[in-house]
């Protein structure tokens, strides 16, 4: 996402906050360094849809855990994996 914002155009990233405030601030600074913006995963649906409707780009970082009531089980490399039902 960082490289994409630098090479092409700024984008929005769906993120989760880190447990450590100092690490969280470091990641936020890195993520927004080249014009990218972050969207916190809690209650993000409206913001994500708004960005997409305006023609923006939303990246979903792969380390985001999906809550039980929002995810699905799907085959991944021969194993079942808990994942988001949204396109990747």
């Amino acid at each position: 996402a960082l490289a994409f914002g630098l090479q092409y155009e700024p984008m929005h990233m769906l993120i989760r906050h880190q447990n450590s405030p100092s690490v969280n601030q470091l990641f936020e600074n890195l993520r927004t360094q080249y014009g990218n913006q972050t969207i916190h995963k809690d209650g993000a649906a409206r913001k994500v849809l708004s960005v997409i409707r305006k023609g923006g780009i939303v990246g979903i970082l792969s380390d985001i855990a999906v809550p039980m009531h929002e995810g699905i089980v799907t085959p991944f490399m021969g194993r079942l994996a808990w994942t988001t039902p949204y396109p990747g």
Side-chain angles (χ1 to χ4, degrees), residues 4-24:
F4 188 92
L6 177 61
Q7 188 169 359
Y8 299 103
E9 65 180 271
M11 62 184 290
H12 289 76
M13 293 175 268
L14 190 63
I15 58 107
R16 72 170 182 84
H17 289 298
Q18 305 302 307
N19 295 333
S20 165
S22 58
V23 171
N24 191 56

Side-chain angles (χ1 to χ4, degrees), residues 3 7 13 22-23 25 33 40 51 57 64 68 72 85-86:
Q7 188 169 359
M13 293 175 268
S22 58
V23 171
Q25 188 60 52
Q33 185 172 346
H40 189 267
V51 170
I57 300 168
I64 294 182
M68 294 280 294
I72 59 172
Y86 306 115

